Amino acid sequence: MADKSGSYKRDTNYIQTRITRDGEDGYPVEAHRYRLAAARACPWANRALIARRLYGLDDVISVAMAGPTHDERSWTFDLDPGGVDPVLGIHFLRDAYNKRFPNYERGITVPAIVDERTGEVVTNDFNQMTLDFGTEWKEFHRAGAPDLYPEAQREEMDELMEFVFHTVNNGVYKCGFATSQEAYDKAYDELWSALDQLEKRLETRRYLMGPSISEADVRLYPTLVRFDAVYHGHFKCNRQKLDELPNLWGYARELFQTPGFGDTNDFVQIKEHYHIVHTDVNPTGIVPKGPALDGWLTPHGRDHLEANTWGDGGTPPPPPLKAEVVDPANTPLHVEGR
C-alpha cells in the first residue's frame, strides 16, 4: 500500500505469538504438531524454508505449500489434489487465520505456522520465526546443524539485518510499488546504495558475517535469487543485473549451489507470482520467458576467501524430502530427494 507521497508502506504488524520451549504463549515446541504454510514464490517464506532445511527441522515441522498465484482473498493450496491441503483440510490459508481470529482484517501472509491440532494459525512473524527455529527448536536440530545466530555476533548481525530489510528485502518492493516518481527515485537510490555497500562488504568476506553462513545470509539470499528474474524488470530495479555485480553475483551463486538454498527455489513459480498477481504493476499478466538460468551453476569464484561454511562441527543438510523436491523443469539445480 502506498501513502499520500506515493511511497510503499509494508504492514509489519504480524501475529507475534511464539512457539517456545516453555510454551509461554500457549504453544510449546513439539515435534509433528505444527505445519509451516509457505510458498516457493515468496521471499519471506523462502527464509523459513531455508532455515527449516539447514537446521533439519523438515522431519519435525511439516510443510503446506501454497501455489504461486492467488487473488485478494488469500494464498491457496491449489497445488494439492482437489486444491485442499491434505493435513489442514483447507483451500484458503485465510481459513486458518479466521479460525483463530474471526474476520481477520490484516494480510493473509506466508510464511505462517499453523497448529495441526486445531487448524488455527499460530504466527506469521517471519523475522522471529527463523530466529526461533535456531534457538527454541534446538532439541530437534539435526546432528551437525549450524549455529546461524551465534551470540557473539548478534549485535552486529541484528544491525546488518535491519539495514538489509529496509533497503534491500523491502527496498525492491518500495521501488516496484511506488506510485510517484519521487518515491520511486528515493527507493531506487536507497536500494542501490545498499547493494553497493554489500558488494564492497563481500569483497573480503565469504559470507555476510565472515567465513560461515549465518541468519543474515538466509535473509539476503531470497532477494538476490529473485533479482534478475523479477526485481530488475518487474520492479524497475534496473541499474544493473545481479550478474553484473561480481561479489554479490559470486556470493549468490555459491549459496544457490549450497544444500538448503538453491534447492528451495522454483523460478517458474517466482515469475508467475509476481507477474500474474501484481496486476497493478503488470496488467497484461504476461510472464516473461527469461532470463536464462544456466549461470547459476557456473563456478562462483570465491574460493580465495576464507571459508568455514557450516561453522565448527557443522555439516551440510541432507537432501530435501522427496515430496519437497523442486520440479526439475523449473530450476537448473537438479537434486535427488530422500
Side-chain angles (χ1 to χ4, degrees):
M1 180 181 295
D3 63 16
K4 291 181 179 180
S5 72
S7 299
Y8 171 67
K9 301 296 182 184
R10 179 177 296 277
D11 181 359
T12 56
N13 189 356
Y14 298 103
I15 302 168
Q16 296 183 348
T17 307
R18 293 176 61 195
I19 301 169
T20 55
R21 283 170 290 179
D22 61 13
E24 183 177 0
D25 290 350
Y27 296 95
V29 167
E30 186 177 333
H32 313 300
R33 173 173 173 175
Y34 302 101
R35 191 158 176 83
L36 173 65
R40 295 203 184 278
C42 173
W44 318 106
N46 198 175
R47 294 182 181 187
L49 291 171
I50 293 169
R52 173 177 170 267
R53 284 267 288 113
L54 299 187
Y55 290 127
L57 294 174
D58 37 2
D59 289 323
V60 297
I61 301 173
S62 66
V63 69
M65 202 70 77
T69 61
H70 58 80
D71 57 25
E72 69 281 354
R73 291 173 292 179
S74 173
W75 292 88
T76 60
F77 299 108
D78 51 345
L79 300 177
D80 293 306
V84 174
D85 179 78
V87 173
L88 302 177
I90 57 176
H91 174 64
F92 291 104
L93 179 57
R94 68 175 183 179
D95 291 346
Y97 279 72
N98 286 333
K99 193 162 187 181
R100 183 175 175 201
F101 304 103
N103 302 312
Y104 186 78
E105 294 181 352
R106 294 188 176 276
I108 308 299
T109 62
V110 291
I113 296 180
V114 180
D115 187 344
E116 292 184 10
R117 294 180 180 178
T118 64
E120 297 178 355
V121 68
V122 178
T123 182
N124 65 344
D125 187 348
F126 58 83
N127 278 319
Q128 189 62 48
M129 190 182 296
T130 51
L131 295 180
D132 285 343
F133 281 175
T135 54
E136 300 297 324
W137 286 83
K138 266 193 172 181
E139 67 178 290
F140 293 108
H141 284 188
R142 65 178 177 86
D147 181 1
L148 299 178
Y149 194 50
E151 289 192 24
Q153 292 186 310
R154 286 182 186 179
E155 184 175 352
E156 179 187 359
M157 199 186 308
D158 287 344
E159 183 177 346
L160 176 62
M161 293 190 300
E162 186 75 5
F163 167 75
V164 168
F165 171 76
H166 289 291
T167 60
V168 180
N169 298 145
N170 198 41
V172 293
Y173 285 84
K174 291 178 184 177
C175 291
F177 290 144
T179 57
S180 74
Q181 190 68 50
E182 286 185 353
Y184 165 74
D185 289 348
K186 182 175 185 292
Y188 179 97
D189 291 344
E190 288 178 350
L191 168 67
W192 282 104
S193 174
L195 289 174
D196 286 341
Q197 292 178 59
L198 294 170
E199 174 75 3
K200 183 68 175 176
R201 184 182 184 95
L202 290 166
E203 187 176 297
T204 56
R205 293 174 173 86
R206 190 68 172 255
Y207 305 104
L208 285 177
M209 297 302 299
S212 303
I213 288 173
S214 73
E215 174 79 18
D217 302 299
V218 172
R219 296 188 180 202
L220 176 60
Y221 170 80
T223 300
L224 297 184
V225 81
R226 288 162 175 76
F227 199 87
D228 288 358
V230 288
Y231 301 143
H232 178 273
H234 182 66
F235 276 175
K236 308 178 186 71
C237 302
N238 60 353
R239 191 191 78 179
Q240 291 166 279
K241 294 188 296 181
L242 182 66
D243 65 11
E244 295 169 359
L245 300 164
N247 297 322
L248 278 164
W249 176 225
Y251 162 83
R253 293 204 309 282
E254 179 167 18
L255 288 177
F256 181 80
Q257 296 165 25
T258 298
F261 284 84
D263 54 32
T264 67
N265 296 131
D266 184 312
F267 288 96
V268 171
Q269 290 193 25
I270 288 170
K271 291 191 296 181
E272 287 178 346
H273 171 70
Y274 286 90
H275 290 95
I276 294 174
V277 173
H278 298 165
T279 55
D280 49 344
V281 178
N282 185 41
T284 65
I286 294 173
V287 179
K289 294 184 71 172
L293 300 174
D294 50 342
W296 282 103
L297 297 184
T298 59
H300 52 72
R302 294 179 62 76
D303 290 328
H304 63 286
L305 297 170
E306 179 188 1
N308 182 18
T309 302
W310 303 107
D312 295 341
T315 59
L321 299 172
K322 285 186 178 180
E324 296 178 20
V325 172
V326 174
D327 185 341
N330 298 349
T331 174
L333 186 67
H334 299 162
V335 300
E336 296 291 330
R338 58 182 168 90

